[in-house]
Amino acid sequence: MKTACTALIFFAVIAVTSLAAADRRWQVGTWTQVGIARTPFVGDPVHERMPPTFNKPEMTEVASYVIETNDRRYYLQSMVPIRSDGFDVRVTVGKPVTFAIEKKTAYIALDKGEYRLLVVKSERKKTR
Protein backbone atom coordinates (compact mmCIF):
# COMPACT_ATOMS: atom_id res chain seq x y z
CA MET A 1 0.00 0.00 0.00
CA LYS A 2 2.84 2.40 0.86
CA THR A 3 4.52 1.71 -2.47
CA ALA A 4 1.31 2.46 -4.39
CA CYS A 5 0.81 5.75 -2.53
CA THR A 6 4.44 6.74 -3.07
CA ALA A 7 4.21 5.96 -6.79
CA LEU A 8 0.97 7.95 -7.08
CA ILE A 9 2.52 10.98 -5.37
CA PHE A 10 5.63 10.69 -7.54
CA PHE A 11 3.61 10.67 -10.78
CA ALA A 12 1.45 13.57 -9.54
CA VAL A 13 4.56 15.68 -8.90
CA ILE A 14 5.93 14.87 -12.36
CA ALA A 15 2.59 15.77 -13.98
CA VAL A 16 2.37 19.11 -12.15
CA THR A 17 5.98 19.94 -13.04
CA SER A 18 5.47 19.18 -16.72
CA LEU A 19 2.26 21.24 -16.78
CA ALA A 20 4.04 24.19 -15.19
CA ALA A 21 6.77 24.00 -17.83
CA ALA A 22 4.17 23.92 -20.60
CA ASP A 23 2.38 26.99 -19.18
CA ARG A 24 5.45 29.21 -19.33
CA ARG A 25 5.61 31.99 -21.89
CA TRP A 26 8.76 31.06 -23.79
CA GLN A 27 10.72 33.76 -25.59
CA VAL A 28 13.79 33.80 -27.80
CA GLY A 29 16.68 36.15 -27.12
CA THR A 30 20.44 36.43 -27.51
CA TRP A 31 23.18 36.03 -24.92
CA THR A 32 24.99 39.40 -24.98
CA GLN A 33 27.18 39.34 -21.85
CA VAL A 34 28.68 36.84 -19.45
CA GLY A 35 30.53 37.88 -16.32
CA ILE A 36 31.22 37.27 -12.65
CA ALA A 37 29.36 38.80 -9.73
CA ARG A 38 29.93 38.52 -5.99
CA THR A 39 27.03 37.96 -3.63
CA PRO A 40 26.66 37.09 0.08
CA PHE A 41 23.32 35.36 -0.59
CA VAL A 42 24.73 32.21 -2.22
CA GLY A 43 26.56 29.80 0.03
CA ASP A 44 29.78 28.07 -0.93
CA PRO A 45 29.63 24.40 0.20
CA VAL A 46 33.40 24.15 0.62
CA HIS A 47 33.55 27.25 2.82
CA GLU A 48 30.53 26.15 4.90
CA ARG A 49 32.26 22.90 5.96
CA MET A 50 35.07 24.79 7.68
CA PRO A 51 35.22 25.10 11.48
CA PRO A 52 33.21 27.98 12.99
CA THR A 53 36.32 30.13 13.55
CA PHE A 54 36.99 30.16 9.78
CA ASN A 55 33.33 30.16 8.72
CA LYS A 56 32.76 33.91 8.44
CA PRO A 57 30.33 35.39 5.89
CA GLU A 58 32.08 35.59 2.56
CA MET A 59 31.18 36.91 -0.87
CA THR A 60 30.66 34.00 -3.27
CA GLU A 61 31.45 34.34 -6.97
CA VAL A 62 28.48 33.57 -9.19
CA ALA A 63 27.99 33.90 -12.93
CA SER A 64 26.07 36.88 -14.31
CA TYR A 65 24.42 37.00 -17.72
CA VAL A 66 22.59 39.43 -19.98
CA ILE A 67 19.91 38.34 -22.45
CA GLU A 68 18.53 40.77 -25.03
CA THR A 69 15.30 40.51 -26.98
CA ASN A 70 13.93 42.97 -29.54
CA ASP A 71 12.58 45.28 -26.85
CA ARG A 72 13.99 44.21 -23.45
CA ARG A 73 17.27 43.50 -21.71
CA TYR A 74 17.39 41.01 -18.81
CA TYR A 75 20.23 40.97 -16.26
CA LEU A 76 20.44 37.50 -14.71
CA GLN A 77 22.52 35.91 -11.98
CA SER A 78 23.20 32.30 -11.12
CA MET A 79 21.97 30.99 -7.76
CA VAL A 80 24.93 28.62 -7.29
CA PRO A 81 28.71 29.19 -7.20
CA ILE A 82 30.59 29.23 -10.49
CA ARG A 83 31.37 25.81 -12.02
CA SER A 84 29.15 23.93 -9.56
CA ASP A 85 26.42 23.01 -12.06
CA GLY A 86 28.16 23.27 -15.46
CA PHE A 87 25.64 25.74 -16.85
CA ASP A 88 28.22 28.49 -17.38
CA VAL A 89 30.08 26.29 -19.89
CA ARG A 90 26.99 26.03 -22.13
CA VAL A 91 26.51 29.80 -22.53
CA THR A 92 28.07 31.42 -25.60
CA VAL A 93 27.80 35.16 -26.24
CA GLY A 94 26.01 35.88 -29.51
CA LYS A 95 24.07 32.60 -29.58
CA PRO A 96 20.26 32.41 -29.34
CA VAL A 97 18.59 31.31 -26.12
CA THR A 98 15.06 30.15 -25.29
CA PHE A 99 13.86 31.41 -21.92
CA ALA A 100 10.80 32.29 -19.84
CA ILE A 101 10.48 34.93 -17.14
CA GLU A 102 8.22 34.40 -14.12
CA LYS A 103 8.48 37.16 -11.51
CA LYS A 104 12.14 37.08 -10.34
CA THR A 105 13.05 33.72 -11.93
CA ALA A 106 14.30 33.10 -15.45
CA TYR A 107 13.94 29.58 -16.82
CA ILE A 108 16.52 28.76 -19.48
CA ALA A 109 15.59 25.88 -21.81
CA LEU A 110 18.50 23.72 -22.93
CA ASP A 111 18.65 20.31 -24.55
CA LYS A 112 19.21 18.61 -21.19
CA GLY A 113 16.45 20.36 -19.24
CA GLU A 114 15.83 23.73 -17.65
CA TYR A 115 18.06 25.94 -15.55
CA ARG A 116 16.85 28.62 -13.16
CA LEU A 117 18.51 32.00 -12.85
CA LEU A 118 17.68 35.01 -10.71
CA VAL A 119 16.38 38.08 -12.56
CA VAL A 120 18.39 40.95 -11.10
CA LYS A 121 17.10 43.64 -13.44
CA SER A 122 14.77 43.93 -16.43
CA GLU A 123 14.66 47.06 -18.53
CA ARG A 124 13.39 48.29 -21.86
CA LYS A 125 16.03 48.72 -24.53
CA LYS A 126 16.73 52.33 -25.39
CA THR A 127 15.66 53.28 -28.88
CA ARG A 128 17.97 55.47 -30.91
Side-chain angles (χ1 to χ4, degrees):
M1 184 66 179
K2 278 186 176 181
T3 307
C5 288
T6 304
L8 183 63
I9 291 171
F10 177 73
F11 288 117
V13 168
I14 289 175
V16 169
T17 304
S18 64
L19 287 176
D23 291 343
R24 294 195 178 104
R25 216 179 101 224
W26 295 101
Q27 307 177 53
V28 177
T30 305
W31 295 109
T32 57
Q33 271 185 334
V34 177
I36 295 175
R38 292 176 168 265
T39 180
F41 303 114
V42 174
D44 184 5
V46 174
H47 183 72
E48 289 174 357
R49 285 189 228 125
M50 293 182 152
T53 55
F54 297 107
N55 193 1
K56 295 179 181 150
E58 187 173 290
M59 300 291 275
T60 305
E61 289 184 342
V62 295
S64 64
Y65 309 97
V66 178
I67 295 176
E68 286 188 9
T69 62
N70 291 336
D71 60 341
R72 296 202 70 82
R73 181 177 290 129
Y74 297 98
Y75 296 87
L76 311 173
Q77 195 173 68
S78 180
M79 294 186 269
V80 295
I82 291 178
R83 289 183 287 284
S84 64
D85 63 353
F87 176 73
D88 49 350
V89 176
R90 296 182 177 164
V91 175
T92 305
V93 173
K95 295 285 185 176
V97 58
T98 303
F99 67 101
I101 303 291
E102 291 182 4
K103 297 183 182 179
K104 289 297 234 173
T105 305
Y107 296 91
I108 309 298
L110 291 176
D111 55 344
K112 293 188 178 186
E114 292 180 357
Y115 288 90
R116 292 183 339 165
L117 299 173
L118 175 68
V119 177
V120 177
K121 184 178 174 184
S122 170
E123 65 183 14
R124 288 196 178 278
K125 285 174 68 174
K126 296 176 184 159
T127 57
R128 295 179 196 188

PDB file of all heavy atoms in Angstrom, residues 12-46:
ATOM      1  N   ALA A  12       2.171  12.298  -9.653  1.00  0.00           N
ATOM      2  CA  ALA A  12       1.451  13.569  -9.544  1.00  0.00           C
ATOM      3  C   ALA A  12       2.425  14.749  -9.577  1.00  0.00           C
ATOM      4  O   ALA A  12       2.165  15.755 -10.238  1.00  0.00           O
ATOM      5  CB  ALA A  12       0.628  13.598  -8.261  1.00  0.00           C
ATOM      6  N   VAL A  13       3.551  14.614  -8.895  1.00  0.00           N
ATOM      7  CA  VAL A  13       4.563  15.678  -8.903  1.00  0.00           C
ATOM      8  C   VAL A  13       5.135  15.858 -10.304  1.00  0.00           C
ATOM      9  O   VAL A  13       5.314  16.990 -10.773  1.00  0.00           O
ATOM     10  CB  VAL A  13       5.683  15.371  -7.881  1.00  0.00           C
ATOM     11  CG1 VAL A  13       6.866  16.291  -8.067  1.00  0.00           C
ATOM     12  CG2 VAL A  13       5.139  15.477  -6.464  1.00  0.00           C
ATOM     13  N   ILE A  14       5.411  14.783 -10.992  1.00  0.00           N
ATOM     14  CA  ILE A  14       5.933  14.866 -12.363  1.00  0.00           C
ATOM     15  C   ILE A  14       4.906  15.529 -13.275  1.00  0.00           C
ATOM     16  O   ILE A  14       5.245  16.375 -14.099  1.00  0.00           O
ATOM     17  CB  ILE A  14       6.327  13.472 -12.884  1.00  0.00           C
ATOM     18  CG1 ILE A  14       7.579  12.988 -12.157  1.00  0.00           C
ATOM     19  CG2 ILE A  14       6.568  13.498 -14.383  1.00  0.00           C
ATOM     20  CD1 ILE A  14       7.992  11.593 -12.495  1.00  0.00           C
ATOM     21  N   ALA A  15       3.637  15.183 -13.141  1.00  0.00           N
ATOM     22  CA  ALA A  15       2.594  15.768 -13.984  1.00  0.00           C
ATOM     23  C   ALA A  15       2.457  17.264 -13.733  1.00  0.00           C
ATOM     24  O   ALA A  15       2.344  18.048 -14.678  1.00  0.00           O
ATOM     25  CB  ALA A  15       1.265  15.067 -13.727  1.00  0.00           C
ATOM     26  N   VAL A  16       2.479  17.683 -12.477  1.00  0.00           N
ATOM     27  CA  VAL A  16       2.369  19.106 -12.149  1.00  0.00           C
ATOM     28  C   VAL A  16       3.584  19.868 -12.668  1.00  0.00           C
ATOM     29  O   VAL A  16       3.454  20.960 -13.216  1.00  0.00           O
ATOM     30  CB  VAL A  16       2.210  19.299 -10.619  1.00  0.00           C
ATOM     31  CG1 VAL A  16       2.368  20.755 -10.236  1.00  0.00           C
ATOM     32  CG2 VAL A  16       0.859  18.772 -10.168  1.00  0.00           C
ATOM     33  N   THR A  17       4.770  19.295 -12.551  1.00  0.00           N
ATOM     34  CA  THR A  17       5.984  19.945 -13.038  1.00  0.00           C
ATOM     35  C   THR A  17       5.947  20.105 -14.552  1.00  0.00           C
ATOM     36  O   THR A  17       6.295  21.154 -15.079  1.00  0.00           O
ATOM     37  CB  THR A  17       7.227  19.134 -12.626  1.00  0.00           C
ATOM     38  OG1 THR A  17       7.217  18.966 -11.216  1.00  0.00           O
ATOM     39  CG2 THR A  17       8.497  19.833 -13.050  1.00  0.00           C
ATOM     40  N   SER A  18       5.523  19.083 -15.263  1.00  0.00           N
ATOM     41  CA  SER A  18       5.469  19.184 -16.722  1.00  0.00           C
ATOM     42  C   SER A  18       4.394  20.164 -17.169  1.00  0.00           C
ATOM     43  O   SER A  18       4.564  20.867 -18.157  1.00  0.00           O
ATOM     44  CB  SER A  18       5.251  17.816 -17.353  1.00  0.00           C
ATOM     45  OG  SER A  18       3.990  17.305 -16.978  1.00  0.00           O
ATOM     46  N   LEU A  19       3.281  20.248 -16.440  1.00  0.00           N
ATOM     47  CA  LEU A  19       2.256  21.235 -16.779  1.00  0.00           C
ATOM     48  C   LEU A  19       2.752  22.652 -16.543  1.00  0.00           C
ATOM     49  O   LEU A  19       2.465  23.547 -17.322  1.00  0.00           O
ATOM     50  CB  LEU A  19       0.993  20.979 -15.953  1.00  0.00           C
ATOM     51  CG  LEU A  19       0.157  19.772 -16.357  1.00  0.00           C
ATOM     52  CD1 LEU A  19      -1.004  19.582 -15.389  1.00  0.00           C
ATOM     53  CD2 LEU A  19      -0.350  19.910 -17.771  1.00  0.00           C
ATOM     54  N   ALA A  20       3.498  22.856 -15.466  1.00  0.00           N
ATOM     55  CA  ALA A  20       4.037  24.187 -15.186  1.00  0.00           C
ATOM     56  C   ALA A  20       5.014  24.610 -16.272  1.00  0.00           C
ATOM     57  O   ALA A  20       5.045  25.765 -16.684  1.00  0.00           O
ATOM     58  CB  ALA A  20       4.718  24.202 -13.824  1.00  0.00           C
ATOM     59  N   ALA A  21       5.818  23.683 -16.761  1.00  0.00           N
ATOM     60  CA  ALA A  21       6.770  24.004 -17.831  1.00  0.00           C
ATOM     61  C   ALA A  21       6.041  24.327 -19.126  1.00  0.00           C
ATOM     62  O   ALA A  21       6.466  25.179 -19.894  1.00  0.00           O
ATOM     63  CB  ALA A  21       7.734  22.843 -18.040  1.00  0.00           C
ATOM     64  N   ALA A  22       4.924  23.668 -19.376  1.00  0.00           N
ATOM     65  CA  ALA A  22       4.170  23.925 -20.599  1.00  0.00           C
ATOM     66  C   ALA A  22       3.449  25.268 -20.534  1.00  0.00           C
ATOM     67  O   ALA A  22       3.181  25.880 -21.557  1.00  0.00           O
ATOM     68  CB  ALA A  22       3.171  22.802 -20.827  1.00  0.00           C
ATOM     69  N   ASP A  23       3.105  25.733 -19.336  1.00  0.00           N
ATOM     70  CA  ASP A  23       2.378  26.988 -19.177  1.00  0.00           C
ATOM     71  C   ASP A  23       3.268  28.217 -19.279  1.00  0.00           C
ATOM     72  O   ASP A  23       2.770  29.326 -19.341  1.00  0.00           O
ATOM     73  CB  ASP A  23       1.667  27.009 -17.824  1.00  0.00           C
ATOM     74  CG  ASP A  23       0.518  26.021 -17.769  1.00  0.00           C
ATOM     75  OD1 ASP A  23       0.083  25.568 -18.849  1.00  0.00           O
ATOM     76  OD2 ASP A  23       0.058  25.712 -16.662  1.00  0.00           O
ATOM     77  N   ARG A  24       4.548  28.051 -19.281  1.00  0.00           N
ATOM     78  CA  ARG A  24       5.448  29.206 -19.328  1.00  0.00           C
ATOM     79  C   ARG A  24       5.369  29.904 -20.680  1.00  0.00           C
ATOM     80  O   ARG A  24       5.145  29.280 -21.705  1.00  0.00           O
ATOM     81  CB  ARG A  24       6.882  28.762 -19.051  1.00  0.00           C
ATOM     82  CG  ARG A  24       7.039  28.267 -17.647  1.00  0.00           C
ATOM     83  CD  ARG A  24       8.499  28.180 -17.277  1.00  0.00           C
ATOM     84  NE  ARG A  24       8.583  27.740 -15.903  1.00  0.00           N
ATOM     85  CZ  ARG A  24       8.913  26.520 -15.528  1.00  0.00           C
ATOM     86  NH1 ARG A  24       9.275  25.633 -16.418  1.00  0.00           N
ATOM     87  NH2 ARG A  24       8.942  26.197 -14.264  1.00  0.00           N
ATOM     88  N   ARG A  25       5.589  31.205 -20.655  1.00  0.00           N
ATOM     89  CA  ARG A  25       5.612  31.994 -21.888  1.00  0.00           C
ATOM     90  C   ARG A  25       7.039  32.056 -22.396  1.00  0.00           C
ATOM     91  O   ARG A  25       7.830  32.883 -21.966  1.00  0.00           O
ATOM     92  CB  ARG A  25       5.084  33.398 -21.582  1.00  0.00           C
ATOM     93  CG  ARG A  25       4.273  33.946 -22.716  1.00  0.00           C
ATOM     94  CD  ARG A  25       3.745  35.304 -22.428  1.00  0.00           C
ATOM     95  NE  ARG A  25       4.624  36.229 -23.135  1.00  0.00           N
ATOM     96  CZ  ARG A  25       5.091  37.339 -22.632  1.00  0.00           C
ATOM     97  NH1 ARG A  25       4.781  37.703 -21.434  1.00  0.00           N
ATOM     98  NH2 ARG A  25       5.885  38.102 -23.342  1.00  0.00           N
ATOM     99  N   TRP A  26       7.392  31.167 -23.296  1.00  0.00           N
ATOM    100  CA  TRP A  26       8.756  31.059 -23.794  1.00  0.00           C
ATOM    101  C   TRP A  26       9.042  32.175 -24.790  1.00  0.00           C
ATOM    102  O   TRP A  26       8.196  32.544 -25.588  1.00  0.00           O
ATOM    103  CB  TRP A  26       8.990  29.692 -24.423  1.00  0.00           C
ATOM    104  CG  TRP A  26       8.903  28.598 -23.418  1.00  0.00           C
ATOM    105  CD1 TRP A  26       7.851  27.766 -23.199  1.00  0.00           C
ATOM    106  CD2 TRP A  26       9.899  28.241 -22.457  1.00  0.00           C
ATOM    107  NE1 TRP A  26       8.139  26.912 -22.164  1.00  0.00           N
ATOM    108  CE2 TRP A  26       9.391  27.176 -21.692  1.00  0.00           C
ATOM    109  CE3 TRP A  26      11.171  28.712 -22.168  1.00  0.00           C
ATOM    110  CZ2 TRP A  26      10.098  26.584 -20.660  1.00  0.00           C
ATOM    111  CZ3 TRP A  26      11.882  28.113 -21.142  1.00  0.00           C
ATOM    112  CH2 TRP A  26      11.358  27.061 -20.401  1.00  0.00           C
ATOM    113  N   GLN A  27      10.259  32.705 -24.706  1.00  0.00           N
ATOM    114  CA  GLN A  27      10.724  33.762 -25.590  1.00  0.00           C
ATOM    115  C   GLN A  27      12.071  33.350 -26.171  1.00  0.00           C
ATOM    116  O   GLN A  27      12.733  32.470 -25.643  1.00  0.00           O
ATOM    117  CB  GLN A  27      10.945  35.055 -24.812  1.00  0.00           C
ATOM    118  CG  GLN A  27       9.795  35.526 -23.986  1.00  0.00           C
ATOM    119  CD  GLN A  27      10.180  36.766 -23.208  1.00  0.00           C
ATOM    120  OE1 GLN A  27      10.662  37.725 -23.793  1.00  0.00           O
ATOM    121  NE2 GLN A  27       9.982  36.736 -21.904  1.00  0.00           N
ATOM    122  N   VAL A  28      12.474  34.040 -27.221  1.00  0.00           N
ATOM    123  CA  VAL A  28      13.789  33.803 -27.795  1.00  0.00           C
ATOM    124  C   VAL A  28      14.571  35.106 -27.705  1.00  0.00           C
ATOM    125  O   VAL A  28      14.058  36.172 -28.015  1.00  0.00           O
ATOM    126  CB  VAL A  28      13.685  33.342 -29.261  1.00  0.00           C
ATOM    127  CG1 VAL A  28      15.062  33.178 -29.874  1.00  0.00           C
ATOM    128  CG2 VAL A  28      12.906  32.040 -29.358  1.00  0.00           C
ATOM    129  N   GLY A  29      15.801  34.996 -27.232  1.00  0.00           N
ATOM    130  CA  GLY A  29      16.677  36.154 -27.118  1.00  0.00           C
ATOM    131  C   GLY A  29      18.091  35.765 -27.504  1.00  0.00           C
ATOM    132  O   GLY A  29      18.328  34.692 -28.052  1.00  0.00           O
ATOM    133  N   THR A  30      19.027  36.657 -27.184  1.00  0.00           N
ATOM    134  CA  THR A  30      20.435  36.425 -27.507  1.00  0.00           C
ATOM    135  C   THR A  30      21.277  36.689 -26.265  1.00  0.00           C
ATOM    136  O   THR A  30      21.067  37.685 -25.571  1.00  0.00           O
ATOM    137  CB  THR A  30      20.890  37.375 -28.629  1.00  0.00           C
ATOM    138  OG1 THR A  30      20.012  37.200 -29.750  1.00  0.00           O
ATOM    139  CG2 THR A  30      22.308  37.076 -29.065  1.00  0.00           C
ATOM    140  N   TRP A  31      22.221  35.781 -25.994  1.00  0.00           N
ATOM    141  CA  TRP A  31      23.179  36.029 -24.919  1.00  0.00           C
ATOM    142  C   TRP A  31      24.073  37.186 -25.367  1.00  0.00           C
ATOM    143  O   TRP A  31      24.690  37.122 -26.418  1.00  0.00           O
ATOM    144  CB  TRP A  31      24.070  34.815 -24.672  1.00  0.00           C
ATOM    145  CG  TRP A  31      23.370  33.590 -24.166  1.00  0.00           C
ATOM    146  CD1 TRP A  31      23.151  32.443 -24.857  1.00  0.00           C
ATOM    147  CD2 TRP A  31      22.834  33.377 -22.863  1.00  0.00           C
ATOM    148  NE1 TRP A  31      22.507  31.527 -24.068  1.00  0.00           N
ATOM    149  CE2 TRP A  31      22.297  32.074 -22.830  1.00  0.00           C
ATOM    150  CE3 TRP A  31      22.745  34.156 -21.712  1.00  0.00           C
ATOM    151  CZ2 TRP A  31      21.688  31.546 -21.710  1.00  0.00           C
ATOM    152  CZ3 TRP A  31      22.131  33.630 -20.595  1.00  0.00           C
ATOM    153  CH2 TRP A  31      21.615  32.338 -20.601  1.00  0.00           C
ATOM    154  N   THR A  32      24.157  38.263 -24.575  1.00  0.00           N
ATOM    155  CA  THR A  32      24.987  39.398 -24.979  1.00  0.00           C
ATOM    156  C   THR A  32      26.163  39.641 -24.030  1.00  0.00           C
ATOM    157  O   THR A  32      27.132  40.283 -24.426  1.00  0.00           O
ATOM    158  CB  THR A  32      24.165  40.694 -25.077  1.00  0.00           C
ATOM    159  OG1 THR A  32      23.532  40.939 -23.826  1.00  0.00           O
ATOM    160  CG2 THR A  32      23.135  40.587 -26.177  1.00  0.00           C
ATOM    161  N   GLN A  33      26.081  39.164 -22.803  1.00  0.00           N
ATOM    162  CA  GLN A  33      27.184  39.342 -21.852  1.00  0.00           C
ATOM    163  C   GLN A  33      27.240  38.175 -20.882  1.00  0.00           C
ATOM    164  O   GLN A  33      26.210  37.632 -20.496  1.00  0.00           O
ATOM    165  CB  GLN A  33      26.987  40.608 -21.006  1.00  0.00           C
ATOM    166  CG  GLN A  33      27.555  41.842 -21.572  1.00  0.00           C
ATOM    167  CD  GLN A  33      27.398  43.003 -20.578  1.00  0.00           C
ATOM    168  OE1 GLN A  33      26.507  43.015 -19.743  1.00  0.00           O
ATOM    169  NE2 GLN A  33      28.263  43.969 -20.692  1.00  0.00           N
ATOM    170  N   VAL A  34      28.447  37.836 -20.496  1.00  0.00           N
ATOM    171  CA  VAL A  34      28.682  36.842 -19.449  1.00  0.00           C
ATOM    172  C   VAL A  34      29.753  37.418 -18.547  1.00  0.00           C
ATOM    173  O   VAL A  34      30.749  37.965 -19.026  1.00  0.00           O
ATOM    174  CB  VAL A  34      29.158  35.497 -20.045  1.00  0.00           C
ATOM    175  CG1 VAL A  34      29.472  34.506 -18.950  1.00  0.00           C
ATOM    176  CG2 VAL A  34      28.119  34.932 -20.989  1.00  0.00           C
ATOM    177  N   GLY A  35      29.544  37.324 -17.250  1.00  0.00           N
ATOM    178  CA  GLY A  35      30.528  37.881 -16.322  1.00  0.00           C
ATOM    179  C   GLY A  35      30.486  37.187 -14.976  1.00  0.00           C
ATOM    180  O   GLY A  35      29.863  36.132 -14.811  1.00  0.00           O
ATOM    181  N   ILE A  36      31.143  37.803 -14.017  1.00  0.00           N
ATOM    182  CA  ILE A  36      31.217  37.267 -12.653  1.00  0.00           C
ATOM    183  C   ILE A  36      30.704  38.331 -11.705  1.00  0.00           C
ATOM    184  O   ILE A  36      31.057  39.508 -11.814  1.00  0.00           O
ATOM    185  CB  ILE A  36      32.656  36.888 -12.285  1.00  0.00           C
ATOM    186  CG1 ILE A  36      33.135  35.742 -13.170  1.00  0.00           C
ATOM    187  CG2 ILE A  36      32.748  36.485 -10.818  1.00  0.00           C
ATOM    188  CD1 ILE A  36      34.593  35.380 -12.967  1.00  0.00           C
ATOM    189  N   ALA A  37      29.870  37.914 -10.769  1.00  0.00           N
ATOM    190  CA  ALA A  37      29.356  38.803  -9.732  1.00  0.00           C
ATOM    191  C   ALA A  37      29.684  38.185  -8.376  1.00  0.00           C
ATOM    192  O   ALA A  37      29.921  36.986  -8.272  1.00  0.00           O
ATOM    193  CB  ALA A  37      27.856  38.994  -9.889  1.00  0.00           C
ATOM    194  N   ARG A  38      29.711  39.010  -7.357  1.00  0.00           N
ATOM    195  CA  ARG A  38      29.931  38.521  -5.991  1.00  0.00           C
ATOM    196  C   ARG A  38      28.689  38.802  -5.173  1.00  0.00           C
ATOM    197  O   ARG A  38      28.145  39.899  -5.245  1.00  0.00           O
ATOM    198  CB  ARG A  38      31.132  39.208  -5.365  1.00  0.00           C
ATOM    199  CG  ARG A  38      32.426  38.816  -6.014  1.00  0.00           C
ATOM    200  CD  ARG A  38      33.567  39.633  -5.398  1.00  0.00           C
ATOM    201  NE  ARG A  38      34.821  39.081  -5.789  1.00  0.00           N
ATOM    202  CZ  ARG A  38      35.524  38.203  -5.061  1.00  0.00           C
ATOM    203  NH1 ARG A  38      35.068  37.814  -3.906  1.00  0.00           N
ATOM    204  NH2 ARG A  38      36.666  37.743  -5.495  1.00  0.00           N
ATOM    205  N   THR A  39      28.235  37.802  -4.431  1.00  0.00           N
ATOM    206  CA  THR A  39      27.034  37.959  -3.629  1.00  0.00           C
ATOM    207  C   THR A  39      27.180  37.226  -2.293  1.00  0.00           C
ATOM    208  O   THR A  39      27.778  36.148  -2.245  1.00  0.00           O
ATOM    209  CB  THR A  39      25.788  37.443  -4.383  1.00  0.00           C
ATOM    210  OG1 THR A  39      24.644  37.615  -3.555  1.00  0.00           O
ATOM    211  CG2 THR A  39      25.930  35.993  -4.763  1.00  0.00           C
ATOM    212  N   PRO A  40      26.640  37.789  -1.210  1.00  0.00           N
ATOM    213  CA  PRO A  40      26.665  37.086   0.076  1.00  0.00           C
ATOM    214  C   PRO A  40      25.483  36.132   0.227  1.00  0.00           C
ATOM    215  O   PRO A  40      25.405  35.390   1.197  1.00  0.00           O
ATOM    216  CB  PRO A  40      26.566  38.224   1.096  1.00  0.00           C
ATOM    217  CG  PRO A  40      25.775  39.266   0.386  1.00  0.00           C
ATOM    218  CD  PRO A  40      26.167  39.166  -1.072  1.00  0.00           C
ATOM    219  N   PHE A  41      24.549  36.134  -0.726  1.00  0.00           N
ATOM    220  CA  PHE A  41      23.321  35.364  -0.592  1.00  0.00           C
ATOM    221  C   PHE A  41      23.419  33.934  -1.101  1.00  0.00           C
ATOM    222  O   PHE A  41      22.489  33.170  -0.942  1.00  0.00           O
ATOM    223  CB  PHE A  41      22.185  36.089  -1.320  1.00  0.00           C
ATOM    224  CG  PHE A  41      21.996  37.486  -0.811  1.00  0.00           C
ATOM    225  CD1 PHE A  41      22.246  38.560  -1.629  1.00  0.00           C
ATOM    226  CD2 PHE A  41      21.610  37.723   0.494  1.00  0.00           C
ATOM    227  CE1 PHE A  41      22.095  39.855  -1.174  1.00  0.00           C
ATOM    228  CE2 PHE A  41      21.464  39.005   0.974  1.00  0.00           C
ATOM    229  CZ  PHE A  41      21.703  40.082   0.140  1.00  0.00           C
ATOM    230  N   VAL A  42      24.519  33.582  -1.737  1.00  0.00           N
ATOM    231  CA  VAL A  42      24.729  32.214  -2.222  1.00  0.00           C
ATOM    232  C   VAL A  42      25.839  31.600  -1.395  1.00  0.00           C
ATOM    233  O   VAL A  42      26.927  32.158  -1.298  1.00  0.00           O
ATOM    234  CB  VAL A  42      25.110  32.205  -3.727  1.00  0.00           C
ATOM    235  CG1 VAL A  42      25.459  30.803  -4.175  1.00  0.00           C
ATOM    236  CG2 VAL A  42      23.976  32.767  -4.548  1.00  0.00           C
ATOM    237  N   GLY A  43      25.568  30.454  -0.790  1.00  0.00           N
ATOM    238  CA  GLY A  43      26.559  29.796   0.033  1.00  0.00           C
ATOM    239  C   GLY A  43      27.547  28.980  -0.782  1.00  0.00           C
ATOM    240  O   GLY A  43      27.213  28.446  -1.827  1.00  0.00           O
ATOM    241  N   ASP A  44      28.755  28.892  -0.291  1.00  0.00           N
ATOM    242  CA  ASP A  44      29.780  28.069  -0.926  1.00  0.00           C
ATOM    243  C   ASP A  44      29.932  26.811  -0.076  1.00  0.00           C
ATOM    244  O   ASP A  44      30.350  26.887   1.078  1.00  0.00           O
ATOM    245  CB  ASP A  44      31.097  28.840  -1.000  1.00  0.00           C
ATOM    246  CG  ASP A  44      32.181  28.081  -1.739  1.00  0.00           C
ATOM    247  OD1 ASP A  44      31.885  26.999  -2.268  1.00  0.00           O
ATOM    248  OD2 ASP A  44      33.317  28.588  -1.781  1.00  0.00           O
ATOM    249  N   PRO A  45      29.588  25.617  -0.604  1.00  0.00           N
ATOM    250  CA  PRO A  45      29.631  24.398   0.204  1.00  0.00           C
ATOM    251  C   PRO A  45      31.002  24.102   0.804  1.00  0.00           C
ATOM    252  O   PRO A  45      31.096  23.601   1.917  1.00  0.00           O
ATOM    253  CB  PRO A  45      29.226  23.295  -0.762  1.00  0.00           C
ATOM    254  CG  PRO A  45      28.662  23.954  -1.950  1.00  0.00           C
ATOM    255  CD  PRO A  45      29.144  25.367  -1.953  1.00  0.00           C
ATOM    256  N   VAL A  46      32.063  24.418   0.102  1.00  0.00           N
ATOM    257  CA  VAL A  46      33.404  24.150   0.622  1.00  0.00           C
ATOM    258  C   VAL A  46      33.674  25.038   1.827  1.00  0.00           C
ATOM    259  O   VAL A  46      34.184  24.594   2.861  1.00  0.00           O
ATOM    260  CB  VAL A  46      34.471  24.389  -0.476  1.00  0.00           C
ATOM    261  CG1 VAL A  46      35.869  24.267   0.097  1.00  0.00           C
ATOM    262  CG2 VAL A  46      34.267  23.416  -1.613  1.00  0.00           C
TER     263      VAL A  46
END
